[in-house]
Amino acid sequence: MTDTVIRALDESDAHLFDAHPDPLNARAAHERTTHHPHWKRVALRDGNVVARGAWWGGPDDEQPVNLNWFDVAEGEVEAGAELLRSAPWQVELELNLPGDWREHPDLAAAAETRFAAARAAGYELLVERFLYRWTPERGLPERPGRLLFTPEADDAVFFDALRRIHAATLDAHTLKAIEEGGLDRAAQEELDFFHWCPSPREWWQLAHTPEGELAGIHIPAHNPSGPTIGFIGVLPEHRGRGYAYDLLAECTHFLVEHGAEAVTGATDRGNFPMAANFTRAGFPVVRERINFHPAAEAVS
C-alpha cells in the first residue's frame, strides 16, 4: 500500500474536498454552514481522497473552534487518524449523523469507521446528542403561562443563575468544564459563547414565578447557521414542576416573533427529561451528533 499524503487545501484546490463519497449525507447537515477553504484538509492515496476534514469557526475567528465534517473511506482508518493527528488544530470533533443511522447497517458501518479513526488519533468520546429542528407546520408549542419573562442587562445575574443551574446538570460539556475549572469556568464559558453569537444580548431572559422567585433562564439565539434554542435552565430548587417546557415554549415563540422560519435545538442523548420536552414542544430529531475530544485536552 502506498503512503498517505496529507494536504491542506486552499481556494485553488478546494474541489478535492468534494472528491469523496458522502454516505452519511454530511452535506445536508452543513447546508447552512460556511467552511473556510484553508481550514480543509484531505488524505490522499494514489491521488485519491481517502479521508477529509473541514474545521469550522465563526466569521471573525482566527482559529477553528471544532472539526465538524470528517469522512473516512472504508479500510482507511489509519489515514483518517493521521489526518487528525497531523492537523495544527486539536479541537473537538463533531460527527453529524442521520437520525436513523443505527437502524441501517451501511450507515452504522460508515459511522464506526469514523469513530475508529478518531480513537486511533487519540480522541475520546464525550457525548452523543440529539439535534432537533422545529418548522412552522409543527405548530407553535402552547405557552403554559405559569412564568413571567423579562430581559436583564446585568451579566452578573445570568452568571449567578448559571452557576446555580450547573451545580446539578446532566450536560456533558458543562460537566467537563466543571471538572476542568469549576462552576465559575462553566458559567463563564456559557456567557462567552452567547456573547460570541451574532444575536442581540437584549434577547436573554429571566423567568420568575408569580411570587417573584427566579425559576430559570432562557436564551434565544442565532448561531452562524440560524435561529436556535441557545440555553434552557431551571434552578435546582424549582425543578420537578415541568418549567423546562415553559422555558422551551417561550424561547420558541420569542424566536418566531423575531422572524425565525425554523428553530434548531440540541440536548444530550442521556438527558431524558429535556429530550421529552423537545418532543412535547414539536421538535423532531433530524440528526444525531457524536462529540469526541482530544485525549490530551481531557488531562490538560
Side-chain angles (χ1 to χ4, degrees):
M1 182 179 290
T2 58
D3 291 339
T4 303
V5 176
I6 307 295
R7 283 189 57 183
L9 303 181
D10 56 32
E11 292 185 3
S12 67
D13 56 6
H15 62 278
L16 284 175
F17 189 85
D18 297 321
H20 191 283
D22 188 19
L24 295 172
N25 199 18
R27 187 167 302 282
H30 295 298
E31 60 184 359
R32 291 178 294 276
T33 306
T34 300
H35 290 100
H36 300 304
H38 59 284
W39 287 352
K40 292 181 177 180
R41 293 164 61 84
V42 296
L44 301 167
R45 191 183 307 284
D46 296 327
N48 297 314
V49 177
V50 295
R52 63 181 174 181
W55 282 255
W56 176 86
D60 299 322
D61 289 336
E62 296 183 358
Q63 298 289 326
V65 298
N66 61 36
L67 165 60
N68 64 11
W69 190 336
F70 178 58
D71 284 321
V72 184
E74 183 178 355
E76 293 287 355
V77 166
E78 180 53 33
E82 182 59 24
L83 182 69
L84 297 178
R85 283 193 295 260
S86 64
W89 318 288
Q90 296 300 305
V91 292
E92 189 167 299
L93 165 62
E94 294 183 351
L95 293 171
N96 293 289
L97 309 176
D100 60 351
W101 69 274
R102 291 177 174 83
E103 302 167 19
H104 301 277
D106 56 333
L107 299 183
E112 289 296 339
T113 298
R114 288 149 181 76
F115 300 164
R119 292 189 181 99
Y123 283 69
E124 295 179 347
L125 176 66
L126 176 61
V127 67
E128 301 176 6
R129 289 172 64 77
F130 290 126
L131 305 184
Y132 301 91
R133 190 166 188 263
W134 175 93
T135 49
E137 64 269 18
R138 309 292 300 190
L140 281 165
E142 180 182 356
R143 282 167 155 154
R146 299 186 296 169
L147 298 173
L148 306 175
F149 297 95
T150 57
E152 170 56 60
D154 188 354
D155 274 12
V157 176
F158 283 96
F159 182 85
D160 179 67
L162 285 164
R163 288 187 81 262
R164 294 161 68 186
I165 291 165
H166 289 340
T169 183
L170 297 174
D171 184 85
H173 283 91
T174 302
L175 290 171
K176 177 174 176 286
I178 293 170
E179 180 180 354
E180 294 173 349
L183 287 171
D184 283 359
R185 173 167 173 173
Q188 191 60 53
E189 284 187 359
E190 296 280 10
L191 290 178
D192 291 345
F193 173 75
F194 292 113
H195 278 297
W196 174 86
C197 287
S199 42
R201 165 63 178 81
E202 294 76 19
W203 285 8
W204 305 6
Q205 290 195 331
L206 306 178
H208 289 88
T209 67
E211 294 74 31
E213 296 181 22
L214 181 62
I217 64 175
H218 79 96
I219 300 181
H222 276 218
N223 60 30
S225 297
T228 192
I229 304 296
F231 186 86
I232 299 292
V234 179
L235 272 63
E237 61 268 28
H238 287 282
R239 292 178 187 171
R241 305 171 191 176
Y243 283 155
Y245 173 82
D246 301 48
L247 295 167
L248 177 58
E250 185 65 24
C251 198
T252 306
H253 276 264
F254 186 100
L255 287 165
V256 170
E257 289 165 4
H258 286 76
E261 298 179 358
V263 179
T264 62
T267 196
D268 290 3
R269 187 177 174 86
N271 190 341
F272 303 113
M274 197 64 220
N277 285 319
F278 272 111
T279 299
R280 179 184 171 191
F283 281 71
V285 174
V286 291
R287 296 187 76 83
E288 290 194 23
R289 175 175 292 159
I290 314 297
N291 293 78
F292 287 82
H293 61 163
E297 176 188 304
V299 298
S300 61

